[in-house]
Amino acid sequence: MKLSVLVFINALAVALALSGVNFYFQHKWYDVTITFVVGFITSYIVFYYLIEKYLYSKIKLIYKLIHNLKLGRDLRDALGESTSVDPIGDVEKEVKDWAREKKVEIEELRRQEKFRKEFLSNISHEFKTPLFAIQGYIEAILDDEADDKDMTLQFLKKAQRNVDRLSYLINDLNEISKLETGEIPINYTKFRINDLIKEVFEQLELRAKQHQIKLIFKQKYDEAFLVRADRDKVCQVLINLIDNSFKYGKHGGSTSVSLFELHDQILVEVTDDGAGISEKYLSRLFERFFRIDSSRSREVGGSGLGLAIVKHIIEAHQQTINVRSTEGVGSTFGFTLQKVKQLPFQMLPVLKS
C-alpha cells in the first residue's frame, strides 16, 4: 500500500470520528463540516510526518538493503537504483522469498553435510580394508622364520591384488573428480552404437564365460543406429554396466542389450536376470560407494564407483540414465544418447575400430 493511501485512510478515520462526536453533542452540520475538514487536514499532515519519519523511511531502507543484497552490486549498478512505490508489500514479499530460498539452501547444506560424512566414512573404509590386508601379508612374510618361499609368493600375490584394488579406487576417484569439474572434455563424434556394442561384447567375452553368463544383443549388428556422443566414454559406460551385471547376475544366466529409437534419442538398455534390487535402494544406486550387500560387493571386487562414473558420463552428455528392477527377476539400466537423423538415401559411414 502506498504511503499517501495509508495516511489518507488513517486521517479519514480520525476526521470521521471527530465529526461524529461533534454531531452527537452539537447537532450542527456547519460545525461538523469544519471539524471534519480541520481534523482531516491536521491528521493527514501529522500522520504523514510521523509515519514517513519513524516507520516508512526505515521500511524503505530495509527494502533497499534486501533488494541490493539479492541483486548484487554489479547488477544493481547496471539496472540503476530502484525505488519501490509500495515498500511495505515489497518487503513482505522479499522477506518471504528470501526465507524460502534460505530454507532451501539450509536443507541443501544439510544434505551435502550428510553426504560428506557418509563419503568420508565410506572412502576411509574402502582404503582401510586393502591397506590392512597388505600390512598383514607383509608382516606375515617378515615374521616367517621358516623361509617358506611358496607361502611368501602366495602372500605377495594377495598383497598385489590389494594394491591393484587401491590403484583402481584412486583412478576412479580421480576420474569422477575430473568429470564433476569438467576437466575431461566430451569429444562428440558420430558412430554406430551397434558396432560399439559388438566391440564391448568381444572385450567382455572371456569374463562372461568365467561368470557363465550369456551375452545377447537383441538387435541386428547391421541395423542403422547412429548416435552423436563421445565413443570412448560410451564404451566405458557399457563396460561398467555389463560388468556390473556379471557381478550381481546369476551363474548360467544372461545379460542382454537392447536399443530403442525415440524421437531424437536412442535408448540403450542393459538387462540382467539376476537377484534384482529392492525398490528402496534404487534411488541410491548411483551414489559413490553405495553397496546393497557389502560383503558380496567386496567378494566380487571393484571400487564401488562404477555406477557413479556412469551417471556422470551420461549427464555430461546432457542425457539421462535410469534403473528399474524387480527382486528375483532382474534389473535393467537404461540411458539415452543423441540420435543422428539421416535422410532415407544417406549412406552410413563405415567406422573402423
Side-chain angles (χ1 to χ4, degrees):
M1 184 181 293
K2 294 182 180 180
L3 175 60
S4 57
V5 176
L6 179 65
V7 173
F8 178 84
I9 293 173
N10 282 274
L12 182 63
V14 172
L16 288 173
L18 291 175
S19 300
V21 172
N22 185 280
F23 181 78
Y24 178 80
F25 288 103
Q26 300 293 331
H27 295 285
K28 295 180 180 180
W29 285 105
Y30 177 79
D31 293 342
V32 171
T33 303
I34 295 298
T35 302
F36 177 82
V37 172
V38 173
F40 179 81
I41 294 174
T42 304
S43 300
Y44 189 92
I45 294 172
V46 172
F47 286 158
Y48 194 97
Y49 173 77
L50 293 176
I51 295 175
E52 171 68 25
K53 182 175 182 180
Y54 295 104
L55 180 63
Y56 221 66
S57 60
K58 291 181 173 57
I59 292 175
K60 288 171 67 178
L61 178 61
I62 294 171
Y63 168 76
K64 185 177 179 181
L65 289 172
I66 295 174
H67 187 72
N68 291 345
L69 283 172
K70 290 186 70 176
L71 285 179
R73 180 176 296 276
D74 295 338
L75 183 58
R76 187 188 72 238
D77 293 341
L79 296 176
E81 294 290 340
S82 60
T83 303
S84 173
V85 296
D86 182 19
I88 293 180
D90 289 341
V91 164
E92 180 183 11
K93 182 179 181 301
E94 294 279 355
V95 169
K96 287 182 178 179
D97 291 344
W98 207 1
R100 281 193 292 267
E101 291 174 6
K102 293 305 175 185
K103 182 180 179 181
V104 171
E105 288 180 11
I106 291 171
E107 290 175 352
E108 179 64 18
L109 288 172
R110 286 175 178 170
R111 189 190 68 79
Q112 291 180 359
E113 177 65 15
K114 180 181 177 181
F115 175 79
R116 185 187 66 83
K117 289 179 180 179
E118 291 180 353
F119 176 74
L120 290 175
S121 174
N122 288 331
I123 197 171
S124 63
H125 186 74
E126 294 295 333
F127 275 109
K128 181 173 63 177
T129 303
L131 281 173
F132 281 178
I134 294 169
Q135 184 182 19
Y137 292 134
I138 292 175
E139 289 177 352
I141 293 172
L142 294 175
D143 294 340
D144 185 13
E145 297 178 356
D147 196 22
D148 189 335
K149 292 184 178 180
D150 291 336
M151 182 176 292
T152 299
L153 181 61
Q154 183 181 2
F155 283 172
L156 285 174
K157 288 181 178 179
K158 291 181 178 179
Q160 183 183 25
R161 284 197 294 270
N162 282 277
V163 171
D164 291 340
R165 182 179 171 185
L166 278 176
S167 178
Y168 293 145
L169 179 60
I170 292 170
N171 289 337
D172 284 350
L173 279 172
N174 183 53
E175 182 171 4
I176 206 170
S177 175
K178 289 181 178 179
L179 284 168
E180 285 182 337
T181 56
E183 293 182 28
I184 300 180
I186 303 297
N187 300 315
Y188 287 96
T189 58
K190 296 177 183 179
F191 61 93
R192 284 177 182 259
I193 188 67
N194 316 56
D195 296 339
L196 181 59
I197 293 171
K198 184 178 181 181
E199 291 177 19
V200 171
F201 275 17
E202 291 172 352
Q203 290 182 42
L204 298 176
E205 185 178 2
L206 181 59
R207 282 183 57 80
K209 289 181 179 179
Q210 291 173 348
H211 289 275
Q212 299 178 18
I213 289 178
K214 184 179 180 181
L215 292 174
I216 302 171
F217 181 50
K218 293 191 174 182
Q219 271 72 27
K220 296 180 180 179
Y221 286 115
D222 57 355
E223 289 184 12
F225 286 94
L226 196 64
V227 298
R228 182 176 180 272
D230 188 316
R231 198 174 193 275
D232 292 336
K233 289 182 175 58
V234 174
C235 178
Q236 184 179 1
V237 168
L238 287 169
I239 289 174
N240 283 4
L241 291 178
I242 296 174
D243 188 64
N244 191 70
S245 73
F246 293 163
K247 295 174 182 177
Y248 300 100
K250 64 179 180 182
H251 289 284
S254 63
T255 295
S256 63
V257 178
S258 305
L259 300 176
F260 303 92
E261 284 194 80
L262 306 180
H263 175 63
D264 56 355
Q265 296 171 320
I266 297 293
L267 173 63
V268 185
E269 289 192 341
V270 178
T271 303
D272 65 66
D273 54 2
I277 305 164
S278 175
E279 186 177 355
K280 64 181 179 181
Y281 296 126
L282 292 181
S283 61
R284 300 194 60 192
L285 274 184
F286 297 101
E287 292 181 10
R288 302 174 190 178
F289 301 116
F290 178 75
R291 300 177 188 270
I292 299 171
D293 186 347
S294 299
S295 59
R296 189 186 175 194
S297 296
R298 289 185 172 81
E299 287 176 5
V300 299
S303 65
L305 294 169
L307 291 180
I309 291 174
V310 165
K311 182 174 183 288
H312 277 82
I313 290 175
I314 296 302
E315 289 183 347
H317 282 77
Q318 306 298 315
Q319 299 295 323
T320 58
I321 184 168
N322 62 80
V323 58
R324 61 182 188 272
S325 183
T326 303
E327 288 186 274
V329 177
S331 305
T332 296
F333 290 84
F335 63 92
T336 58
L337 296 172
Q338 182 183 349
K339 180 171 70 174
V340 177
K341 295 183 179 180
Q342 305 168 75
L343 298 174
F345 54 84
Q346 184 176 357
M347 297 297 292
L348 292 175
V350 178
L351 300 179
K352 297 181 179 181
S353 59

